[in-house]
Amino acid sequence: MLDIAGLDHIVIRAREPRVLIAFYRDVLGMTVERETAPEVGLTQLRAGRSLIDVVDAASELGRGGGPPPGPGPNVDHFCLRVRDFDAGPIRAHLAAHGIAAGEVAIRYGADGWGPSIYLADPEGNR
């Protein structure tokens, strides 16, 4: 039996990696932790104790996953925990960046029931 401690990282194969990296860095406030050589095409962004890896779908690494993702989202959704959730300031911040946020809803996650807001990144991932 495995003793899973948590989510280490997710990988998003991106058609426009620079746009996606800017979104996670500039809008959501993540920091770039590591970038590989352009031909490898991997940028890792820090999301608390986890990482979000953005892989250029046209790079050496990205091509290993098959053809570039189509026009739809690359993943259904993933959830980022926000400290001190306050819907008003969060929605205002997203709106200031031109991000259409969904309504606040109570949903079940790893820590039980709590408020959440769905939004999409520039490539349609929720």
Side-chain angles (χ1 to χ4, degrees):
M1 186 65 134
L2 298 176
D3 183 12
I4 303 298
L7 181 66
D8 185 83
H9 69 278
I10 62 166
V11 179
I12 300 173
R13 293 176 59 233
R15 294 175 295 277
E16 298 287 337
R18 292 287 139 220
V19 173
L20 210 55
I21 291 162
F23 171 79
Y24 286 104
R25 182 191 60 224
D26 302 340
V27 177
L28 299 187
M30 295 176 191
T31 57
V32 173
E33 179 147 325
R34 184 171 160 262
E35 290 184 284
T36 63
E39 63 273 7
V40 176
L42 169 66
T43 299
Q44 295 178 299
L45 297 122
R46 176 61 56 186
R49 295 184 339 206
S50 304
L51 294 172
I52 294 179
D53 294 357
V54 175
V55 175
D56 183 343
S59 71
E60 176 183 308
L61 184 60
R63 286 189 310 271
N74 197 3
V75 297
D76 180 77
H77 78 276
F78 56 92
C79 182
L80 300 169
R81 174 172 275 291
V82 176
R83 287 184 192 90
D84 302 321
F85 186 97
D86 187 341
I90 291 171
R91 293 179 64 77
H93 174 77
L94 294 171
H97 287 278
I99 306 300
E103 295 302 315
V104 176
I106 303 300
R107 296 183 174 94
Y108 192 80
D111 291 327
W113 292 98
S116 69
I117 300 172
Y118 280 169
L119 58 105
D121 70 21
E123 295 208 4
N125 302 299
R126 286 192 305 168

